[in-house]
Amino acid sequence: MRKDSKKGIILAVLILLAGMQDFAQSVIMLIPDGMSVAGTTLARFYKGAPLALDPIACGLVSTWSSDGTIADSAPAGSSYATGWASQTGNIATIGKSYVLPGVEIPDYEAQRPVATILEAARLSGRSTGIISTSEFMHATPADFSAHDPSRSNYDNLAEQIAYNGIDVVLGGGTPYLNADKRKDKEDLKAIIDANGYTFVDNTAALKSAPDGKLFGVFGKDKSATAMSYDIDRDPAVEPSLAEMTAKAIEILSANKKGFFLMVEGSKVDWAAHANDPVAFVTDILAFDDAVKVALDFAKQDGNTVVIAVTDHGNSGISIGDRSISSGYDKTPWTTFIDPLKKAKVTGEGLEAKLASLIKVDGTYEPSEAPVIRQTVARYLGITDLTDAEVEAIGKTKAGSMNYTVGPMVAGRAKIGYTTNGHTGEDVVLYCYDPFDKRITGLVRNTDVALYMASTLNVDLGQATSRLFQDAASMFAKKGATVSMDTTDPENPVLVVTKADQTLRVPRNKSYAYLNGKAIASDGVAVYNGTKWYVAKNLIDLID
C-alpha cells in the first residue's frame, strides 16, 4: 500500500521547512469540540479578561468531511489525527465516499485503518496521552487512539485504547469498564491493571498518582458515562480539564524524547447541541484554562508546539437574536452576559437539583410547579418563568434538561441559535510554535495532521505500513493459510498456519501467540468486519 503521491510531496515540503529549525520534541493538541467564534467572544465577555487562546490565533480551518460540508465529530477528528478525510462515523479509518470538491482521494482501500499522529509519535519513542471530558472512547479521543468504521462500537474502541500503549488516558466512561456492560464480557478494569497502569477515579488520586502509566476515569458517580460540566462538578470528585492536562504533562514530559498529548473539551459540543449558553461558555473557559497550562509548559520548555482548534462548528450561536433585529446597536453587552452569570449550574446541573421530580417518561404534576419555580430561581437566577416554561421543565425526560432550560436562558440573554446540530463554517486555528513555523492562513483539517507530523519529524504513511498490513494478503504471499476462530463471536481470533507454525492474533489487542508463546505486537489488531489488519512485526513471524 503506497501513500498518495500528492500527500507525500506536501509532507516532504513541510518537513523541509521545519528542517530549517530543530524538530519539536513534543506537541500538545487541544480540541474544544463544537466551539465557535461567538463562543469565544461570549467567554471573553463573561470572564472580563482576554483568553489564553487570544494571542496564538493564526488562521482558519475548513472542517469538511470526505462526503459532507457539515462534519460529524468522528471524521472531523480523524482528519486531524491521520491526515486523511473520512466520512460520518469513521474512526481513524478510510471512508467509502470522497465526493466533496477538492477533497483528496486516498489510494488506500475503504474501511481500512490508518495510523494516527499519536501512534506515529509512540513508534518514534515518544510518550503519548489522551484526555477528554466525555467517555474516553468517544469519537474525538478514539480518533487518535483506536480504529473502527463506526464510532458506536464502544467495546472495540475502549479495548483498543487499553492495549494501544498509551501512557496517559483520562476522561469519563466508568460504566464501560465493567464486564457485564460489554458484549465481549471482558473486564476492562482488570485489563487496565494488568497492562501496568495506575488507575485513579477522583481528583486527589489523580494529583498524587506516581510517575508511569496512568489511567483515570471520572464522573459524578459510578453510573455517569461522561464527566460533569465544569460549573457543575464537585472538585473533590472530578478534576478540571486544566488539572488533568497538568498531570498528563507532568508524566509525559519525563520522556526525554518528547511526547504527544491530545486534550478535548468534549462537552463544549454537547452544550452547543442543547443550546445551553451557560454550559457552553463555562466549559469554553475551562478549556481555556487547560490551554494556559499547555502554553505555560511550552514556553518554559522551549521545544513544544501547542495547537488548539475545534473540529467543527455547532448550533449557529449568535450574540444577538431576532428579538433585537431592531435596536441591536443600542443593546448593551451586559444584556448578553448578566443572565449567564446569574446561573450557578447548567441545565444538566439543574436536573440533578430536581432529581426527585424528573421522571423517565416525562410525566408532570401541576403540584410540582412551586418547587420548580423555587429551584430555577435559586440555581438559574430566573424569577419570571411562564406557566408554559414551568410545565416544559416538569415534562422534561431524564437526561434532557439542558435542551429544555438552555433556550430559556438564551432567550433572556438575547443569544440566538439556528440548529441543535453541527454547522459547516470555517473555524479559528490557534498555534504556538517556538520555531516560528506555525501553520497559518486558511487550511484544511487534514493539513493540521501534516503540520504536526512534520513538527515531530514522523511519517504517517510509514506508520500505517508498520501498524496495519492487510493480513490475508500479506500472509498469503508467505504461503500461509488464514482463518478466523469465532468460538467466541465477540472475541474473534485471526488464525495463521504454515507448516509447524500457528499464529493466533486476538482482535483489538497488541499481542499474539506463536505456537502458544506470547509475542508483543507493534500495534493493535483491527478487524473491520471483513478484513484483518495487523502489525508488520507479526507478518514477519511467519517464515
Side-chain angles (χ1 to χ4, degrees):
M1 182 61 62
R2 66 178 180 83
K3 293 188 300 176
D4 182 276
S5 58
K6 181 179 177 183
K7 183 173 287 289
I9 292 170
I10 294 172
L11 181 57
V13 170
L14 286 170
I15 290 175
L16 179 63
L17 290 173
M20 296 176 184
Q21 298 280 357
D22 292 336
F23 292 111
Q25 286 183 320
S26 305
V27 167
I28 303 172
M29 183 177 195
L30 303 103
I31 302 175
D33 201 306
M35 193 175 76
S36 60
V37 173
T40 51
T41 305
L42 281 169
R44 200 177 296 112
F45 279 148
Y46 186 101
K47 181 180 180 181
L51 303 180
L53 285 166
D54 292 345
I56 60 170
C58 62
L60 296 171
V61 178
S62 297
T63 62
W64 310 329
S65 54
S66 67
D67 61 345
T69 306
I70 301 176
D72 163 48
S73 288
S78 289
S79 294
Y80 289 146
T82 71
W84 289 107
S86 192
Q87 65 189 89
T88 296
N90 292 169
I91 298 292
T93 300
I94 295 297
K96 292 182 178 180
S97 176
Y98 287 79
V99 297
L100 206 67
V103 70
E104 193 172 352
I105 302 174
D107 285 338
Y108 296 120
E109 70 270 20
Q111 304 293 276
R112 68 108 67 227
V114 282
T116 71
I117 187 69
L118 179 147
E119 290 169 324
R122 175 177 61 79
L123 292 176
S124 74
R126 293 174 170 90
S127 295
T128 59
I130 56 171
I131 300 174
S132 63
T133 52
S134 65
E135 303 93 317
F136 68 85
M137 76 300 291
H138 206 257
T140 302
D143 279 326
F144 288 81
S145 55
H147 307 267
D148 199 281
S150 174
R151 61 178 290 177
S152 299
N153 288 336
Y154 271 19
D155 284 3
N156 286 347
L157 298 172
E159 188 172 30
Q160 287 183 36
I161 290 169
Y163 277 105
N164 209 2
I166 305 167
D167 297 280
V168 175
V169 179
L170 302 173
T174 301
Y176 302 103
L177 303 178
N178 303 326
D180 61 349
K181 298 291 186 182
R182 296 175 55 85
K183 291 180 181 179
D184 59 14
K185 302 305 177 186
E186 299 232 25
D187 184 340
L188 207 61
K189 172 60 168 58
I191 290 170
I192 290 167
D193 292 339
N195 284 346
Y197 287 97
T198 296
F199 184 85
V200 297
D201 61 4
N202 62 71
T203 304
L206 172 73
K207 291 183 176 181
S208 63
D211 292 342
K213 296 172 69 176
L214 177 65
F215 210 115
V217 184
F218 311 99
K220 63 182 179 181
D221 54 43
K222 298 302 181 184
S223 67
T225 56
M227 296 180 68
S228 301
Y229 286 104
D230 189 72
I231 195 174
D232 295 335
R233 70 183 174 88
D234 179 346
V237 177
E238 299 179 85
S240 68
L241 192 63
E243 289 171 327
M244 291 192 288
T245 301
K247 186 64 180 183
I249 292 173
E250 175 190 321
I251 291 173
L252 299 177
S253 61
N255 186 343
K256 300 302 181 184
K257 293 183 178 180
F259 65 89
F260 174 82
L261 173 64
M262 191 288 298
V263 180
E264 185 195 30
S266 317
K267 293 182 71 169
V268 173
D269 182 66
W270 299 12
H273 277 297
N275 295 178
D276 184 337
V278 175
F280 187 60
V281 168
T282 54
D283 258 41
I284 288 175
L285 289 173
F287 174 82
D288 193 61
D289 289 342
V291 171
K292 183 178 186 303
V293 169
L295 284 173
D296 286 348
F297 170 81
K299 290 174 181 178
Q300 181 177 9
D301 175 65
N303 208 357
T304 297
V305 166
V306 176
I307 302 168
V309 60
T310 186
D311 48 351
H312 51 71
N314 192 334
S315 78
I317 184 173
S318 61
I319 301 173
D321 62 10
R322 293 189 182 279
S323 71
I324 55 171
S325 294
S326 297
Y328 55 83
D329 55 330
K330 297 179 177 62
T331 305
W333 69 272
T334 52
T335 299
F336 310 111
I337 298 302
D338 285 355
L340 308 188
K341 288 200 166 186
K342 290 179 181 178
K344 299 176 182 177
V345 296
T346 69
E348 186 177 286
L350 180 70
E351 182 172 323
K353 304 299 182 183
L354 292 170
S356 62
L357 302 183
I358 303 304
K359 304 172 184 67
V360 174
D361 61 0
T363 55
Y364 164 67
E365 298 294 335
S367 60
E368 298 168 348
V371 175
I372 291 173
R373 289 184 184 278
Q374 291 167 9
T375 305
V376 170
R378 179 178 179 183
Y379 291 104
L380 292 186
I382 297 176
T383 57
D384 60 347
L385 283 178
T386 66
D387 291 342
E389 287 176 326
V390 171
E391 184 176 354
I393 292 170
K395 288 184 175 180
T396 298
K397 294 181 179 180
S400 302
M401 190 60 73
N402 281 55
Y403 286 82
T404 299
V405 302
M408 294 178 188
V409 177
R412 288 165 171 81
K414 308 302 180 186
I415 293 171
Y417 293 94
T418 63
T419 178
N420 290 109
H422 293 178
T423 51
E425 72 274 15
D426 298 333
V427 298
V428 178
L429 174 65
Y430 303 87
C431 185
Y432 169 79
D433 187 327
F435 305 117
D436 292 327
K437 295 296 178 184
R438 66 179 181 172
I439 187 170
T440 61
L442 175 62
V443 299
R444 291 295 304 270
N445 45 16
T446 50
D447 294 328
V448 175
L450 299 182
Y451 166 73
M452 291 191 292
S454 69
T455 294
L456 292 173
N457 193 22
V458 297
D459 189 312
L460 291 167
Q462 289 180 5
T464 295
S465 294
R466 182 172 170 183
L467 294 177
F468 303 115
Q469 298 266 325
D470 181 335
S473 173
M474 297 306 293
F475 283 123
K477 290 179 180 179
K478 294 198 165 199
T481 300
V482 174
S483 62
M484 186 164 65
D485 181 351
T486 57
T487 303
D488 180 349
E490 295 299 330
N491 291 288
V493 178
L494 177 70
V495 182
V496 183
T497 57
K498 181 183 179 184
D500 61 350
Q501 291 183 300
T502 299
L503 180 68
R504 294 179 63 84
V505 186
R507 181 180 66 175
N508 299 331
K509 297 178 174 63
S510 57
Y511 61 81
Y513 294 98
L514 180 61
N515 293 340
K517 180 181 178 181
I519 304 290
S521 171
D522 285 341
V524 293
V526 176
Y527 176 60
N528 67 6
T530 57
K531 284 188 174 184
W532 284 82
Y533 296 89
V534 302
K536 185 177 183 298
N537 75 307
L538 296 187
I539 303 290
D540 293 341
L541 292 173
I542 300 299
D543 298 331

